[in-house]
Amino acid sequence: MHSRLRRTFLRQFLNPRAAICALVCAALATVSLARGEVPTGETIDGIRCDQSEGAVFHIHQHLTILDHGRPVEVPNDVGRPVLGACLYWLHTHTPDGIIHVESPVMRNFNLGNFFDIWGQPLAATAVGPARCKKGALRVYVDGNRYTGDPRQIELTLHADIVLEAGPPYRVPAPFTDWQGN
């Protein structure tokens, strides 16, 4: 009886159709997971992901995030989905904190729009990957303390935005390295 079970198991295990089916199922499961995690260029907050940068409205801002005093990198290529082959009107090119607004239409954009495109939270207790206790988030715009909703900070020409998630707090030095942007 034991050898008969063994032969049946080996026959099923070594069946090429079963092996191909298992590989295809595993591949489809992986693709489904990837599609759910990677942005594909869908419109976010009324902001499209276009094939090229918009030329009607073009300005830059700088974003600094501090997690209990430690800098958090705003990564390059935020707003440039790999699978979408497109570019959101709000995006980054390099990991220097400079946000590019390059839109085909004139309209107001805010920091919440950028975080939505980035796919990161911006709330009283979460700033991108940084976390803090409620009431521990400090926000500065152009060197001045900002006490409103950080999602509503308007992205204006050369706005210098600093988000400090928890102490130690320090008044930020102004960002001046615009390099012609």
Side-chain angles (χ1 to χ4, degrees), residues 17-53:
R17 283 184 281 193
I20 291 170
C21 181
L23 287 174
V24 169
C25 288
L28 288 174
T30 303
V31 169
S32 295
L33 287 175
R35 284 188 184 150
E37 295 171 2
V38 179
T40 58
E42 63 279 354
T43 299
I44 298 174
D45 298 344
I47 301 167
R48 293 191 321 261
C49 194
D50 294 332
Q51 296 302 311
S52 61
E53 297 173 335

Side-chain angles (χ1 to χ4, degrees), residues 73-154:
E73 182 178 273
V74 178
N76 61 313
D77 292 330
V78 169
R80 299 178 73 152
V82 174
L83 296 178
C86 57
L87 186 67
Y88 282 99
W89 304 344
L90 305 180
H91 57 269
T92 65
H93 292 285
T94 54
D96 57 8
I98 293 179
I99 300 170
H100 297 251
V101 174
E102 298 174 16
S103 170
V105 299
M106 292 295 294
R107 66 167 266 193
N108 292 330
F109 298 96
N110 60 44
L111 193 58
N113 299 140
F114 177 75
F115 274 79
D116 291 346
I117 289 169
W118 185 10
Q120 291 287 328
L122 177 55
T125 58
V127 177
R131 301 291 181 266
C132 61
K133 295 178 183 177
K134 189 168 185 155
L137 176 63
R138 286 202 184 167
V139 179
Y140 294 87
V141 178
D142 297 328
N144 300 308
R145 184 84 184 269
Y146 180 88
T147 57
D149 179 359
R151 293 187 58 79
Q152 299 306 316
I153 295 172
E154 188 173 350

Side-chain angles (χ1 to χ4, degrees), residues 62 140-145 156-162 172 174-175 178:
H62 185 262
Y140 294 87
V141 178
D142 297 328
N144 300 308
R145 184 84 184 269
T156 58
L157 178 65
H158 291 174
D160 183 12
I161 303 164
V162 178
F175 179 80
W178 293 104

